[in-house]
Amino acid sequence: EGDRLGYFSFPGATGDPTFPEVFVKMVDARGAPAPYGGHAWVFHSSLTDFAYTLKVLDTQTGRIRTYETVGSRPLTCGVADTSAFQRSCLGEESSEAPPGTRLAAPSGPDLSLLNGRFRATIRATDPRTGRIAEGAAIPRADGFGYFSLPAFTGDPRFPEIFVKMVDGRAQPGRSFWVFYTGLTDLAYTLTVTDTVTGAVRTYAGGATAGTSLCGSADTSAFRD
């Protein structure tokens, strides 16, 4: 999904190699103020309750960072590591994205999901200043997309909050499922609207304890 973000699927478990489960984002923070400047940052979180081990390799220095998670419900939590790799040890690199990467652009404030039946929006708050801003939606598939927060980051393509929906009506409970998580320390509110019935669900998210990145899963969110 560009030079700074990617995600993993678990086709052995889901049968779908395109179904996003674990997200990884990295930031070159050489220009950030102390104490976080001079490092490459690693963020990861998930839309699964599976435990997983993430290994990140610096191909120039050989250094490795390993992140162990514990399977939990509703979703396994990730972390923000703002001192992962000393940036001074890395060589200079082009600011251009590698060939073949997809740099998605926002489509507006609304994320359309499941053939347009559902509409998701994000409102984020900086807990340090109280500043509030709307998210910019970046659709990626019929049941999945993410939001950037350009009012805070200055970058409309920078991914921050991820939303996935599943039509679970064939399963016990017969409902649509909502999954979400973030790679940000900002607080946010996710609002999902069923455009057919008018039903609305709201979900609160954000980092806990400064570095823990947790989302949630609602498997009884909407019914016909």
Side-chain angles (χ1 to χ4, degrees):
E1 295 292 294
D3 188 44
R4 297 171 292 178
L5 167 73
Y7 54 83
F8 293 88
S9 62
F10 295 146
T14 67
D16 186 349
T18 69
F19 203 53
E21 300 287 1
V22 177
F23 299 86
V24 181
K25 181 175 79 173
M26 291 195 67
V27 177
D28 181 351
R30 268 179 298 192
Y36 307 114
H39 293 81
W41 301 350
V42 175
F43 300 77
H44 67 94
S45 190
S46 79
L47 295 178
T48 179
D49 61 357
F50 289 176
Y52 62 89
T53 300
L54 170 67
K55 291 186 177 181
V56 183
L57 167 68
D58 182 336
T59 61
Q60 294 191 8
T61 68
R63 292 174 178 167
I64 296 174
R65 293 291 180 269
T66 301
Y67 304 93
E68 300 278 357
T69 67
V70 177
S72 62
R73 292 188 180 275
L75 294 179
T76 299
C77 295
V79 73
D81 183 357
T82 54
S83 59
F85 296 94
Q86 283 284 346
R87 197 66 184 102
S88 58
C89 297
L90 302 180
E92 295 293 328
E93 56 197 32
S94 170
S95 61
E96 297 181 357
T101 56
R102 297 166 293 172
L103 298 174
S107 62
D110 298 340
L111 179 64
S112 180
L113 297 161
L114 297 185
N115 201 30
R117 173 161 178 170
F118 296 95
R119 183 177 69 249
T121 60
I122 287 287
R123 172 169 286 190
T125 303
D126 186 337
R128 295 167 289 265
T129 65
R131 183 183 178 191
I132 298 173
E134 308 298 320
I138 303 173
R140 302 309 292 140
D142 184 49
F144 165 62
Y146 47 83
F147 290 86
S148 62
L149 299 172
F152 292 106
T153 67
D155 187 345
R157 300 175 186 265
F158 198 52
E160 301 287 358
I161 299 160
F162 304 82
V163 181
K164 180 174 75 175
M165 289 195 68
V166 176
D167 185 346
R169 290 177 293 177
Q171 305 298 321
R174 296 185 56 80
S175 65
F176 295 94
W177 305 347
V178 176
F179 303 78
Y180 68 93
T181 194
L183 297 179
T184 177
D185 65 349
L186 299 175
Y188 59 88
T189 299
L190 166 67
T191 301
V192 183
T193 302
D194 184 338
T195 63
V196 173
T197 67
V200 177
R201 298 288 183 269
T202 58
Y203 306 94
T208 59
T211 62
S212 184
L213 301 175
C214 300
S216 192
D218 184 354
T219 55
S220 59
F222 297 94
R223 301 178 188 274
D224 277 331

